[in-house]
Amino acid sequence: MARRRRLNRAGVKRIARRCLVVALVLAAIPVVLTFLYLPSFVHPVSTLMLKDLVTFSGYDRRWVSIDDVAPVLAHSVIMSEDGQFCFHRGVDLGELRGVVDDALAGEATRGASTITMQTVKNLFLWSRPLGSVRKMVELPLAVYFDAVMSKRRIMEIYLNIAEWGPGIYGIEAAAQHHFGVSAKQLSRRQAALLAVSLPNPIARNPARPGPGLRRLASLIERRASRSGAYVGCLD
C-alpha cells in the first residue's frame, strides 16, 4: 500500500512537471513572436484567421502599410476604441480601476480593453469561452507588447488583423468590401463608420448603418477631427 502511494505521488509529480513545461512553452510563444513581428515586412495573422484556414472557411486580408491608410481612419479608431492609446503602457489603469470598482459594487461592468490588449488577444489568444482566464493572460501580455513595440507598429498590426465582417480582416479588405475604395481613400464618414463597427463587426455593417450606428459615427467623426495630441504617437 505504501509503495502504491509513493508511485501515485511520483506520477502526480511527473504530470505536474509536464504541465509546467507545457505552460512555459505556451508562455514563450508570444514572447518570441513579438520580437519576430517587430520588422514592418512581417505580416502577422490572427488566431481567428488561423481558425478560418483550419476550417477551410477562407478569408480576405490584404496587408497594407500604415502609411497607406487614411490618417483619419486610425484617428477614428483611437477615439472610438481607446482614447488613451498614446499615453498608457498597454493597459489603461484608470479604466481598469473603474471596472474593478463596478464589479465590487455589484454593478454592470464596462469594457476596458485597449487597442494593445485587443491586438495581443487577436494575435495570441482566444475569444471564448473562459474570457476571465484570457483576461488574466491578456493584461501582462499587453504591457510586454507595448514595451517592445512602437505605438505606430501596434496600430499597423491591429488595423491589419482586426475583423470587419465575416471573413473580412484588415482595413484594406474592409474598405474595399464595404465602400469599394482603398484604405488610403477613405473619407471621414467612412472611417468613422468602420471604427464604430469594430466592437461587433458581425452585427454592425458600416455600409448599411442603422440610426444608432449613424449617430455614433457622427460623434466619432467630430472627436477624430479634434483628436490632436490624442493621436500624436502615430506621427
Side-chain angles (χ1 to χ4, degrees):
M1 183 68 70
R3 183 182 178 187
R4 184 177 301 167
R5 282 199 295 269
R6 285 197 298 272
L7 288 174
N8 287 340
R9 283 197 295 270
V12 169
K13 287 180 180 178
R14 280 197 300 272
I15 292 171
R17 281 196 296 269
R18 288 171 183 169
C19 289
L20 179 60
V21 170
V22 170
L24 290 173
V25 170
L26 291 175
I29 290 173
V31 171
V32 173
L33 286 179
T34 296
F35 278 96
L36 293 178
Y37 293 161
L38 280 170
S40 59
F41 60 81
V42 177
H43 302 167
V45 297
S46 69
T47 52
L48 280 177
M49 293 162 71
L50 290 175
K51 178 186 74 68
D52 285 348
L53 283 177
V54 170
T55 58
F56 302 102
S57 301
Y59 62 81
D60 184 7
R61 196 282 287 272
R62 313 167 202 184
W63 185 278
V64 63
S65 166
I66 195 169
D67 294 326
D68 293 321
V69 176
V72 70
L73 182 280
H75 299 173
S76 298
V77 168
I78 288 178
M79 300 315 293
S80 177
E81 293 283 284
D82 182 8
Q84 297 299 310
F85 173 71
C86 287
F87 306 108
H88 62 62
R89 293 291 176 262
V91 176
D92 189 334
L93 295 178
E95 285 293 318
L96 192 60
R97 279 193 293 269
V99 170
V100 173
D101 290 344
D102 288 346
L104 291 176
E107 300 175 4
T109 57
R110 58 187 182 276
S113 185
T114 66
I115 286 173
T116 313
M117 290 168 65
Q118 293 176 56
T119 303
V120 298
K121 181 198 74 174
N122 290 343
L123 283 176
F124 307 125
L125 303 174
W126 60 94
S127 295
R128 295 181 182 85
L130 300 177
S132 58
V133 175
R134 189 201 71 218
K135 283 291 181 185
M136 292 172 61
V137 180
E138 191 177 295
L139 290 171
L141 262 182
V143 174
Y144 168 73
F145 201 75
D146 188 90
V148 174
M149 293 268 182
S150 70
K151 293 288 188 179
R152 188 173 173 83
R153 178 60 173 164
I154 292 172
M155 179 58 73
E156 181 175 63
I157 293 174
Y158 177 66
L159 293 180
N160 277 286
I161 63 174
E163 187 180 23
W164 258 293
I168 307 297
Y169 297 95
I171 187 55
E172 183 66 23
Q176 295 280 359
H177 177 78
H178 291 297
F179 298 114
V181 300
S182 70
K184 198 167 189 173
Q185 296 172 316
L186 286 166
S187 68
R188 289 189 305 168
R189 185 63 176 178
Q190 291 167 341
L193 285 166
L194 284 165
V196 298
S197 70
L198 276 170
N200 192 349
I202 304 302
R204 297 181 178 183
N205 187 334
R208 293 196 273 285
L213 204 61
R214 287 198 297 270
R215 285 194 296 271
L216 190 54
S218 296
L219 174 63
I220 295 305
E221 191 175 345
R222 290 194 298 272
R223 288 181 178 177
S225 68
R226 303 191 295 263
S227 51
Y230 287 98
V231 298
C233 60
L234 300 184
D235 295 338

